[in-house]
Amino acid sequence: MANSKILTADQEMQLRQPIDDYVGKIQKKIDSLRVDGTDKIVSYQNTIDGLKRDRTLSKGEKANRIAACEKELSKAKSVEAKNKGEVSKLIADAEAYLAAHYDKEYYKPVQESCVAEKIEAKQKYERKLVELEKEHKGILSKLTSQQEIKDEKYVYKNRLSNAKLELEKDYQSIKDRRHAALSHKYHLLDMLRLSKFSFMESRAQKWENYKYTFNRRTFLLQNGLYIAIILIFIALCIITPVVKNTQLLTYNNVLNILQQASPRMFLALGVAGLILLTGTDLSIGRMIGMGMTTATIIMHQGINTGGVFGHIFDFTGLPVGVRVIFALFMCVLLCTIFTSIAGFFTAKFKMHPFISTMANMLVIFGLVTYATKGVSFGAIEPTIPSMIIPKINDFPTIILWALAAIIIVWFIWNKTKFGKNLYAVGGNPEAASASGISVFAVMLGAFALAGVLYGFGAWLECARMVGSGSAAYGQGWEMDAIAACVVGGVSFTGGIGKISGVVVGVCIFTALTYSLTILGIDTNLQFVFSGIIILVAVMLDCLKYVQKK
């Protein structure tokens, strides 16, 4: 019964032919109406764009040619407007016909045929396995030599593998057939509407393409770590109420997690650009210590109790608002200077970022510790946190600062020339250089951008913690930032990564740390969890790279 439903290629075309004929006649009428209207509009617009970019023409000649094209463009628009009603009517006729006939008379029979083909392919595979096993046993019964038996077993294993490959090939062919049948409808609509689809049609096409290209192994490689961490977090949500008699997943806890993640988001966004260039930054923690110390000194409550190179600073004479802005400026300036130094040595002398940023880390820590004698500078003015990160109905606005940073860096990565060059240099610096991209400028720019983000992050952390700046603050934060990027899918192989992945990585790490702290897990054991997550993340990244190669 199943075989009677299987369509041959000719039978499938016979089912589709009436639909293609009906819609094709309408398409010819629409195309003829578009010849002197829509088609000429597209042609003249392209010509005008080309003339605007043409540097071989004089200004006057360019203006005359553009004016002539615009005159013809105006005529074409008049023709398009005149035919618009008739074209819309023809499109509506074709769409109504497709809605009434396509699924019922063509796609559903093809779909049923594919189901039957799949069953038949499976049965064929099972028959082949029985046949191979029978043949294998018959050959073995005639053999006496151990080497011959071993060789036959090897051949049998290969035959089974070939049979499995043949089944997968049949499945893929069936999958291709069903996909082509569904896609043909959108192809017809595409020709009728000139690629204008409704929101639901666009979503339907994306979902179909996702199902068509879905591969379980690739999916697990890309998302396996996320799935594992989510399962761990769910387990923690179940365990915490039992062990600690408190709920983990509450509104206040979620806000606390996001609040803690916000300053770290700046650090992860900064180092993500360097990882995209196959680099890293070991000095992040020391940058935070330097920024926190600088911001605390400037925004300190009263005269500073500690000195810098023996000098006691007093900024109390300045208005609080000025001190806040000055603190931000100094944090950004100092962090950008040091990241730019590391970036210069990396870009100019091809030095590995591991070395240049490690040197930065040592220099910064040594300078700040020596200058301040390693003391903590206490608290900042108590009014400042409410100025920078006020709470609105218990909602911490520091989250909005992080959100703004995410949007800005996303825009830089995806919508600017620098962002495109960043991906190009990260993917293949030699090819990027050959195509005219300044690898030096891109690398230096990535380090400078990282410095700006570190400065903002240190400034916000100072406001969140109400001061307490010291050289030791931020120790180990570089590992959290780098780990968040790796978990978020920013690849050390270069040129691969998304801002959304960085955001997810930061939130995952912060949520896990927060959950383990509430559960009472020792801080040292939390490092073990982090280490395991990083190891698995990099392992999966390496597997993806090997698969790609």
Side-chain angles (χ1 to χ4, degrees):
M1 290 297 289
N3 290 337
S4 65
K5 292 183 180 180
I6 296 177
L7 299 171
T8 64
D10 289 338
Q11 287 173 330
E12 184 181 334
M13 289 306 299
Q14 286 173 9
L15 290 176
R16 201 174 80 184
Q17 196 62 49
I19 297 169
D20 285 347
D21 289 343
Y22 190 91
V23 177
K25 288 177 184 177
I26 293 175
Q27 186 67 56
K28 284 181 181 178
K29 292 178 184 177
I30 292 172
D31 289 342
S32 64
L33 291 170
R34 284 173 175 164
V35 169
D36 294 325
T38 305
D39 292 350
K40 284 191 175 180
I41 288 172
V42 173
S43 176
Y44 284 122
Q45 282 177 338
N46 289 336
T47 304
I48 290 168
D49 290 340
L51 288 168
K52 286 178 179 178
R53 292 191 299 268
D54 194 341
R55 296 182 180 179
T56 62
L57 300 173
S58 65
K59 192 174 181 181
E61 191 177 4
K62 186 183 288 188
N64 289 335
R65 290 193 184 184
I66 289 174
C69 286
E70 285 178 342
K71 186 177 179 181
E72 294 299 322
L73 181 64
S74 180
K75 290 179 183 178
K77 285 182 177 179
S78 298
V79 174
E80 184 186 51
K82 181 183 174 183
N83 295 333
K84 188 176 180 180
E86 191 174 351
V87 169
S88 298
K89 188 177 178 181
L90 288 168
I91 290 173
D93 182 8
E95 287 177 347
Y97 183 85
L98 286 171
H101 298 273
Y102 194 88
D103 285 354
K104 182 181 177 183
E105 296 175 12
Y106 172 61
Y107 179 64
K108 284 186 178 177
V110 171
Q111 200 174 24
E112 289 173 359
S113 173
C114 289
V115 172
E117 284 180 73
K118 200 168 182 180
I119 293 169
E120 188 176 84
K122 181 68 174 175
Q123 290 173 345
K124 175 186 165 186
Y125 171 67
E126 289 171 350
R127 287 195 300 270
K128 184 69 175 176
L129 291 183
V130 172
E131 181 185 324
L132 288 172
E133 186 180 9
K134 185 178 179 182
E135 183 182 349
H136 175 61
K137 287 180 178 178
I139 293 171
L140 284 178
S141 64
K142 298 174 184 176
L143 299 176
T144 55
S145 169
Q146 287 298 319
Q147 184 60 44
E148 288 179 340
I149 292 171
K150 186 178 179 181
D151 291 343
E152 170 55 27
K153 287 181 178 178
Y154 179 76
V155 170
Y156 175 62
K157 188 178 179 182
N158 284 339
R159 285 172 180 165
L160 292 177
S161 179
N162 290 337
K164 184 70 181 291
L165 287 173
E166 193 66 30
L167 175 66
E168 289 174 357
K169 184 180 175 182
D170 290 341
Y171 278 173
Q172 186 60 46
S173 177
I174 295 164
K175 192 177 181 182
D176 292 343
R177 186 178 186 180
R178 189 200 63 79
H179 177 71
L182 184 61
S183 298
H184 187 68
K185 179 181 179 181
Y186 292 108
H187 168 70
L188 295 175
L189 291 172
D190 181 30
M191 298 293 289
L192 290 166
R193 301 181 191 161
L194 297 177
S195 303
K196 293 178 182 177
F197 293 104
S198 67
F199 176 79
M200 291 306 296
E201 285 170 342
S202 297
R203 297 281 77 73
Q205 286 184 79
K206 285 187 176 182
W207 174 240
E208 167 59 24
N209 289 331
Y210 175 77
K211 288 192 296 180
Y212 177 64
T213 57
F214 178 81
N215 181 279
R216 189 182 301 166
R217 186 172 185 273
T218 304
F219 176 80
L220 289 174
L221 276 175
Q222 292 178 343
N223 304 290
L225 185 63
Y226 294 149
I227 294 168
I229 291 173
I230 289 168
L231 291 174
I232 290 169
F233 189 70
I234 291 170
L236 290 172
C237 290
I238 296 168
I239 293 168
T240 305
V242 177
V243 177
K244 292 293 180 179
N245 198 28
T246 181
Q247 293 294 327
L248 179 60
L249 203 60
T250 64
Y251 175 74
N252 287 334
N253 283 346
V254 170
L255 286 184
N256 286 335
I257 290 168
L258 293 177
Q259 187 175 0
Q260 288 183 18
S262 295
R264 295 168 187 261
M265 193 70 71
F266 284 82
L267 314 182
L269 291 170
V271 78
L274 308 184
I275 296 174
L276 206 65
L277 296 174
T278 67
T280 187
D281 192 345
L282 300 181
S283 64
I284 296 173
R286 300 313 181 189
M287 294 270 186
I288 296 302
M290 177 178 65
M292 280 281 288
T293 302
T294 304
T296 304
I297 289 171
I298 296 170
M299 299 188 294
H300 195 268
Q301 186 178 11
I303 301 172
N304 280 281
T305 52
V308 179
F309 293 113
H311 180 75
I312 304 294
F313 284 93
D314 180 14
F315 291 95
T316 54
L318 295 174
V320 174
V322 174
R323 291 166 67 186
V324 168
I325 296 169
F326 183 53
L328 172 60
F329 171 77
M330 288 305 299
C331 284
V332 171
L333 179 65
L334 289 172
C335 288
T336 306
I337 287 172
F338 278 101
T339 55
S340 297
I341 291 170
F344 174 80
F345 280 97
T346 301
K348 184 70 175 177
F349 302 105
K350 311 298 180 187
M351 188 182 293
H352 197 284
F354 183 92
I355 301 299
S356 59
T357 59
M358 182 175 67
N360 242 2
M361 173 184 73
L362 296 171
V363 169
I364 292 168
F365 184 66
L367 279 175
V368 177
T369 306
Y370 177 75
T372 63
K373 306 299 181 186
V375 300
S376 177
F377 279 79
I380 61 174
E381 292 285 353
T383 57
I384 289 176
S386 60
M387 291 173 59
I388 301 174
I389 48 172
K391 284 195 174 184
I392 302 172
N393 295 328
D394 292 329
F395 179 82
T397 53
I398 192 172
I399 297 169
L400 300 180
W401 282 93
L403 184 62
I406 292 164
I407 293 168
I408 291 167
V409 178
W410 178 89
F411 181 83
I412 291 171
W413 277 29
N414 296 280
K415 300 297 179 181
T416 66
K417 185 179 178 180
F418 172 75
K420 291 177 175 64
N421 291 346
L422 195 68
Y423 277 100
V425 173
N428 191 329
E430 290 80 12
S433 180
S435 64
I437 297 171
S438 173
V439 175
F440 176 85
V442 170
M443 281 194 173
L444 197 60
F447 274 92
L449 177 61
V452 172
L453 290 164
Y454 299 160
F456 260 96
W459 180 69
L460 284 173
E461 181 66 8
C462 182
R464 188 178 77 88
M465 297 302 293
V466 199
S468 302
S470 70
Y473 198 94
Q475 183 177 356
W477 281 33
E478 62 276 357
M479 293 299 110
D480 291 345
I482 294 167
C485 292
V486 174
V487 170
V490 184
S491 175
F492 273 101
T493 58
I496 300 170
K498 293 181 180 179
I499 295 299
S500 57
V502 178
V503 174
V504 170
V506 173
C507 292
I508 281 174
F509 259 91
T510 310
L512 196 60
T513 304
Y514 188 85
S515 305
L516 293 173
T517 303
I518 286 182
L519 199 56
I521 303 296
D522 189 272
T523 308
N524 298 310
L525 287 177
Q526 291 181 26
F527 286 127
V528 175
F529 279 103
S530 298
I532 292 170
I533 291 170
I534 293 167
L535 197 64
V536 173
V538 175
M539 179 193 71
L540 291 173
D541 181 53
C542 292
L543 285 173
K544 283 186 279 186
Y545 180 70
V546 169
Q547 187 183 46
K548 184 181 176 183
K549 292 287 283 183

